[in-house]
């Protein structure tokens, strides 16, 4: 079966600095993959390559079997046009560390914007679908509130609804709980967990080790722009092979 | 006695006064509308453009904003005929004010756009919007709200700057007033009258601005 996400020999540079030095990994349908590693190991950059928020310089990213971002023209690797990029981005949904809700719109309109303007859905249908997902993340009662009237955890749940309502093939979470007050982390993790249990394909960059261990089918440990070790969470967390992962887990809190 | 004379002079010159007011109104309106459209393009270029767009836009804003309007008006009038552009005084004046207005609107919009977080652009991209969609639905509505008070000030400035077109012979309100005064010598009365008319035009602009402001501030706006 074709994997939902396939990354082959991915390289990415910021100027002279190579931050991804040849990444290979796959995510199967319904799989939950957590990417862990120290700050600066390249995990957020890797995630942002999956929806083309970052350009990459070598290798391929395939979403649902389709190579995204670049194609070959006369043997040259060229970036594809903006419209195509936008269409490919909509195959993935992303949840950001800083929520990034649109502050001038209600929670409901944050969710319907992509449905009406990208999917071209008529508004009544978009509202119905948005209501469904807002209900699903426990935010239906606050659908008419502006982001400024919501707590961080509530904003993040609206952001999750906004991303998932677009019915992406895979959801990307970029440290979705890192900016939250400690007492708000639980509600967001619970939301993510319940989506995972429903079979949503997910890639999570996270510092929540306990959560990564409990919810993931696969854990990817990154170190200095490379995948140092990957496998099922039980093996990685209980019997880490590489000394670097052993050291990393010692310094991480559970 | 003097009051009666003033009133009879106003009545006698009513066509000229109305015409002058209309010219002032028209040239200001053209400058504000065309200048705003051009200014939006320049503001986008200077904020989000790549180098080949950003630098010319930056240069434009800095040079035009740094030039006295009177110099701009005279330069447009004389340079345009020198390069074979056959503009009459009204057209040259309207063009000069448009260019001036655009430089201000460009800078105002840049300031407003830069106050918006980059994360919103990424969120817009992540749901599959193109830059056009992101600008239209996410950035512009917010920038408009921030920029509106300064934009109204700029629009009022355009009306005031239109008086400078009198030097190239555009029969706008100030030049018309001066012509009337040269016949009846009612200096104070007619300058005061012109002042009142300018005030009313500016007052109307501010009211329109407040009306737009109220519309924008409604609690829940539909993204349709």
């Amino acid at each position: 079966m074709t994997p939902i996400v396939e990354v082959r020999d991915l390289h990415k540079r910021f100027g002279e600095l190579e931050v991804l030095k040849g990444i290979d990994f796959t995510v199967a349908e319904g799989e939950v993959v957590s990417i862990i590693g120290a700050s600066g190991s390249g995990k957020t950059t890797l995630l942002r390559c999956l929806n083309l928020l970052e350009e990459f310089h070598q290798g391929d990213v395939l979403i649902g079997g389709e190579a995204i971002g670049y194609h070959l023209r006369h043997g040259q690797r060229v970036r594809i046009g903006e419209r195509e990029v936008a269409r490919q981005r909509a195959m993935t949904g992303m949840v950001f560390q800083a929520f990034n809700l649109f502050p001038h719109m209600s929670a409901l309109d944050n969710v319907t914007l992509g449905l009406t303007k990208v999917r071209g859905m008529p508004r009544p249908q978009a509202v119905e679908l948005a209501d469904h997902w807002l209900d699903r993340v426990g935010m239906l009662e606050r659908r008419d509130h502006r982001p400024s009237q919501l707590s961080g955890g509530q904003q993040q749940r609206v952001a999750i609804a906004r991303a998932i309502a677009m019915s992406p093939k895979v959801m990307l979470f970029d440290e979705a709980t890192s900016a939250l007050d400690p007492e708000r982390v639980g509600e967001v993790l619970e939301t993510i967990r319940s989506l995972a249990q429903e079979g949503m394909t997910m890639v999570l960059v996270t510092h929540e080790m306990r959560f990564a261990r409990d919810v993931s089918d696969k854990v990817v440990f990154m170190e200095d722009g490379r995948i140092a070790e990957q496998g099922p969470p039980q093996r990685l967390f209980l019997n880490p092979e590489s000394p670097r992962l052993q050291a990393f887990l010692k310094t991480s809190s559970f | 006695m003097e009051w009666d004379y003033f009133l009879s002079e106003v009545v006698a010159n009513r066509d000229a006064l109305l015409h002058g007011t209309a010219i002032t109104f028209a040239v200001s309106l053209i400058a504000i509308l065309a200048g705003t459209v051009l200014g939006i393009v320049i503001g986008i270029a200077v904020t989000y453009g790549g180098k080949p767009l950003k630098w010319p836009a930056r240069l434009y804003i800095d040079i035009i904003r740094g030039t006295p309007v009177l110099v701009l008006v005279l330069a447009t009038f004389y340079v345009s005929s020198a390069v074979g552009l056959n503009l009459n005084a009204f057209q040259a004046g309207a063009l000069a004010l448009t260019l001036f207005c655009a430089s201000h609107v460009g800078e105002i919009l840049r300031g407003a756009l830069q106050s918006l977080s980059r994360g919103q652009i990424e969120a817009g991209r992540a749901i599959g919007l193109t830059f056009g969609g992101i600008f239209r639905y996410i950035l512009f509505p917010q920038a408009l709200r921030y920029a509106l008070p300064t934009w109204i000030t700029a629009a009022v400035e355009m009306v005031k700057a239109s008086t400078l077109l009198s030097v190239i012979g555009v029969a706008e309100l100030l030049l018309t007033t001066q012509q009337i005064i040269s016949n009846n010598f009612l200096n104070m009365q007619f300058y005061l009258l012109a002042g009142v008319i300018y005030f009313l035009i500016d007052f109307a602009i501010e009211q329109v601005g407040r009306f737009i402001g109220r519309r924008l501030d409604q609690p829940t706006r539909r993204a349709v």
Side-chain angles (χ1 to χ4, degrees):
Chain A
M1 206 178 74
T2 323
I4 296 287
V5 179
E6 186 172 0
V7 177
R8 294 186 203 138
D9 191 33
L10 183 69
H11 289 256
K12 157 84 186 166
R13 290 186 302 272
F14 285 115
E16 293 288 291
L17 183 73
E18 190 167 40
V19 287
L20 298 178
K21 303 171 179 173
I23 302 281
D24 293 273
F25 83 108
T26 58
V27 183
E29 186 167 1
E31 208 173 23
V32 177
V33 176
S34 293
I35 305 175
I36 60 170
S39 309
S41 58
K43 53 192 194 305
T44 286
T45 306
L46 170 58
L47 194 75
R48 289 164 58 87
C49 284
L50 300 186
N51 70 349
L52 301 170
L53 284 184
E54 299 288 352
E55 298 181 2
F56 47 91
H57 300 93
Q58 194 185 318
D60 300 297
V61 175
L62 287 82
I63 305 287
E66 180 179 340
I68 62 165
Y70 302 88
H71 61 164
L72 287 177
R73 191 187 294 151
H74 312 303
Q76 288 274 351
R77 183 175 177 271
V78 262
R79 182 125 171 132
I80 59 174
E82 199 206 353
R83 249 165 217 293
E84 232 356 51
V85 167
R87 183 187 66 75
Q88 293 182 334
R89 278 196 184 116
M91 297 196 292
T92 60
M94 185 174 244
V95 175
F96 298 86
Q97 186 177 353
F99 330 134
N100 295 346
L101 290 181
F102 310 128
H104 60 304
M105 293 179 189
S106 66
L108 178 69
D109 285 343
N110 265 274
V111 183
T112 56
L113 182 70
L115 296 173
T116 54
K117 302 305 173 195
V118 178
R119 290 262 181 267
M121 203 179 270
R123 181 155 177 94
Q125 201 184 330
V127 170
E128 198 178 316
L129 187 59
D131 280 348
H132 166 76
W133 283 110
L134 285 170
D135 190 26
R136 190 63 191 66
V137 301
M139 290 299 296
L140 186 58
E141 278 172 28
R142 312 249 164 161
R143 77 204 271 267
D144 295 321
H145 285 54
R146 294 281 184 93
S148 60
Q149 300 166 311
L150 301 173
S151 73
Q154 291 171 334
Q155 287 187 57
Q156 194 61 302
R157 285 187 279 149
V158 172
I160 291 171
R162 173 176 70 181
I164 205 166
M166 298 291 289
S167 32
K169 293 183 196 296
V170 53
M171 284 281 286
L172 312 174
F173 291 86
D174 184 14
E175 300 189 22
T177 58
S178 297
L180 295 175
D181 294 334
E183 68 267 29
R184 299 288 183 186
V185 170
E187 66 188 69
V188 172
L189 290 183
E190 240 357 271
T191 305
I192 299 173
R193 186 195 306 269
S194 75
L195 293 173
Q197 281 161 356
E198 279 180 15
M200 186 75 218
T201 311
M202 296 184 180
V203 181
L204 306 108
V205 166
T206 184
H207 291 294
E208 300 282 339
M209 292 303 147
R210 185 191 298 272
F211 184 73
R213 187 187 63 194
D214 294 347
V215 82
S216 315
D217 301 302
K218 181 158 86 183
V219 174
V220 172
F221 171 63
M222 283 188 69
E223 167 78 27
D224 192 28
R226 291 191 175 87
I227 293 179
E229 198 168 338
Q230 58 178 317
Q234 296 81 4
R235 188 172 68 66
L236 256 77
F237 285 112
L238 297 178
N239 298 304
E241 285 170 5
S242 63
R244 284 172 162 176
L245 179 55
Q246 288 165 10
F248 176 74
L249 290 175
K250 271 201 194 95
T251 56
S252 304
S253 54
F254 274 82
Chain B
M1 172 62 204
E2 196 140 281
W3 183 247
D4 287 347
Y5 179 48
F6 169 62
L7 281 184
S8 67
E9 279 297 299
V10 170
V11 172
N13 291 294
R14 63 185 185 280
D15 287 345
L17 281 168
L18 280 174
H19 188 253
T21 305
I23 294 288
T24 288
F25 190 78
V27 83
S28 305
L29 195 68
I30 291 169
I32 292 166
L33 293 182
T36 298
V37 173
L38 183 60
I40 288 173
V41 174
I42 289 167
I44 294 172
V46 85
T47 317
Y48 301 114
K51 271 190 186 149
L53 279 177
K54 188 185 239 109
W55 284 102
R58 183 76 260 166
L59 211 62
Y60 176 90
I61 290 178
D62 287 346
I63 290 176
I64 303 290
R65 270 198 338 148
T67 308
V69 198
L70 183 57
V71 174
L72 210 57
V73 169
L74 291 169
T76 311
F77 186 53
Y78 292 112
V79 171
S80 68
S81 62
V83 299
L85 255 172
N86 267 328
L87 299 182
N88 61 33
F90 179 88
Q91 290 164 336
L95 177 62
L97 290 186
T98 298
L99 296 176
F100 184 64
C101 183
S103 71
H104 277 268
V105 171
E107 185 65 9
I108 292 168
L109 188 65
R110 184 198 60 78
L113 288 172
Q114 280 185 346
S115 71
L116 305 176
S117 71
R118 271 205 89 73
Q120 294 184 50
I121 300 180
E122 295 196 337
R125 285 189 179 144
I127 57 172
L129 286 169
T130 55
F131 184 76
I134 292 170
F135 185 77
R136 184 167 156 203
Y137 303 118
I138 300 169
L139 302 174
F140 191 64
Q142 295 180 71
L144 197 61
R145 208 165 306 188
Y146 289 125
L148 190 66
T150 348
W151 180 82
I152 291 164
T153 309
V156 168
E157 286 300 321
M158 287 311 121
V159 177
K160 294 196 258 176
S162 72
T163 54
L164 296 168
L165 304 195
S166 58
V167 300
I168 54 170
V170 177
E172 42 68 68
L173 184 56
L174 180 66
L175 185 59
T176 305
T177 303
Q178 286 170 333
Q179 285 164 347
I180 293 169
I181 289 171
S182 68
N183 287 324
N184 59 25
F185 304 105
L186 292 171
N187 275 293
M188 194 186 75
Q189 292 89 331
F190 271 90
Y191 277 130
L192 214 60
L193 178 64
V196 169
I197 296 171
Y198 280 116
F199 171 78
L200 289 175
I201 294 175
D202 289 342
F203 185 75
I205 291 175
E206 278 174 15
Q207 290 308 307
V208 170
R210 287 215 185 123
F211 174 74
I212 298 172
R214 274 198 301 274
R215 291 280 313 259
L216 290 178
D217 278 340
Q218 273 164 17
T220 305
R221 246 159 39 85
R222 297 255 176 248
V224 171

